[in-house]
Amino acid sequence: MPSAAYVSLFDDQAAAYHQFRPTYPPQLYQVVLEYAQLARQTICLDIATGQGQAAVELAKRFKQVIAIEPNAKQLQHVVKAENITYREGSAEATGMPSGSVNLVASAQACHWFELDSFWVEVQRVLAPQGAFAIWGYDLPQVPGNEAATNVLWHMENVTLGPYWSDRRKLVTGHYRECMPKDGMFADVNHVELDSPLTLTVTQLVGWVSTWSAYATYKRKHPDGPDPLPPFQKEFMDACGDVQEETYIHLILPIFMLLGKQIAQ
């Protein structure tokens, strides 16, 4: 699937995406900045920002964030801040001046990019001593509850399994196949961390409703049974005495690609 072809997958869930997609822990941004050791935190480019879940946090740490997103409907729901500029744009042609960006960031999106062109663009826009941080997350786990974790796994891999793009393998492979070519950047690292995440049952089901595979299922079966209600019932049964607004403690596996501009 070419990069441009995935954009419409997120049209129908734009409002739910804003409401239910998880944010990222402070630990993640700490790892990024400790790794990058930037001389300046002036301009950060957030690629495929979605609705600004990462951009709004990056804006607390950089003077200016340029957040680009190819889906216009996503941009209708962005989290605003005075030092964030949102605009339509692609990962492969950001429109940023060469050598202008201190940090290139992208959250849960790299698997959709045309990777060769993307990495050339990152290399082009990064300033001397600049760095990149590309991250994503895998299926959450319910610690101490194998049955509930298995319900999540079954929803992802069986119920919705046939409806994922073939790009999904890049996520389940934790972006190891998304690495830039040798020699393009310095000190490239693959980092993994487990992040605590607390959601109500309603929020978790809402999150599943934003998955691209669910959107594809709904488009292919507009009159078919909705898999969300049975998933919710099975998950709640596996969790025991819970209600829709009961908070569930999860672990979110996060993986990161970190690298630096080669010194000129």
Side-chain angles (χ1 to χ4, degrees):
M1 178 189 297
S3 176
Y6 83 84
V7 175
S8 64
L9 284 174
F10 300 96
D11 282 353
D12 295 340
Q13 324 105 298
Y17 197 106
H18 175 76
Q19 186 175 2
F20 295 119
R21 278 280 169 145
T23 56
Y24 307 102
Q27 179 190 5
L28 183 152
Y29 302 100
Q30 181 179 350
V31 168
V32 169
L33 293 178
E34 287 181 355
Y35 163 82
Q37 294 294 304
L38 298 172
R40 296 182 179 84
Q41 289 176 217
T42 306
I43 297 179
C44 175
L45 174 63
D46 181 24
I47 296 179
T49 192
Q51 298 177 5
Q53 286 88 343
V56 72
E57 292 299 322
L58 291 163
K60 299 173 184 177
R61 297 160 173 87
F62 286 82
K63 185 176 180 180
Q64 183 180 15
V65 173
I66 308 297
I68 64 172
E69 166 59 39
N71 187 304
K73 290 190 177 180
Q74 293 281 2
L75 291 173
Q76 294 173 7
H77 299 275
V78 295
V79 182
K80 296 182 180 179
E82 289 185 0
N83 61 332
I84 302 177
T85 300
Y86 290 100
R87 67 187 189 208
E88 283 192 61
S90 75
E92 302 81 13
T94 64
M96 294 295 291
S98 298
S100 64
V101 175
N102 305 118
L103 180 74
V104 171
S106 184
Q108 193 68 2
C110 182
H111 50 290
W112 296 115
F113 302 161
E114 293 301 315
L115 289 168
D116 288 345
S117 299
F118 166 67
W119 287 120
V120 168
E121 182 70 351
V122 173
Q123 187 180 52
R124 182 187 72 80
V125 302
L126 274 182
Q129 302 181 39
F132 66 77
I134 311 300
W135 67 87
Y137 53 78
D138 206 345
L139 187 71
Q141 313 292 307
V142 187
N145 191 332
E146 184 177 359
T149 296
N150 286 340
V151 172
L152 275 165
W153 184 92
H154 192 275
M155 183 65 166
E156 179 192 54
N157 294 283
V158 179
T159 304
L160 296 179
Y163 303 97
W164 291 106
S165 162
D166 60 1
R167 300 289 184 100
R168 181 67 182 175
K169 66 184 180 182
L170 300 176
V171 175
T172 57
H174 290 195
Y175 282 2
R176 291 181 182 88
E177 294 183 39
C178 296
M179 301 280 278
K181 292 179 180 177
D182 290 346
M184 291 189 74
F185 300 96
D187 193 25
V188 177
N189 288 271
H190 184 275
V191 176
E192 304 221 5
L193 57 94
D194 287 336
S195 173
L197 179 67
T198 301
L199 300 174
T200 66
V201 173
T202 295
Q203 288 171 332
L204 178 63
V205 174
W207 178 10
V208 173
S209 79
T210 72
W211 290 358
S212 62
Y214 178 72
T216 299
Y217 172 89
K218 294 288 284 183
R219 290 183 182 186
K220 290 189 174 183
H221 306 285
D223 300 318
D226 187 345
L228 287 181
F231 161 73
Q232 177 173 315
K233 182 180 185 305
E234 290 172 19
F235 185 81
M236 292 175 70
D237 289 346
C239 290
D241 186 22
V242 298
Q243 304 299 318
E244 292 181 357
E245 299 311 309
T246 299
Y247 282 98
I248 307 295
H249 298 289
L250 306 163
I251 295 293
L252 187 66
I254 295 176
F255 43 89
M256 309 176 72
L257 304 180
L258 304 172
K260 298 179 180 179
Q261 181 74 295
I262 293 177
Q264 303 297 317

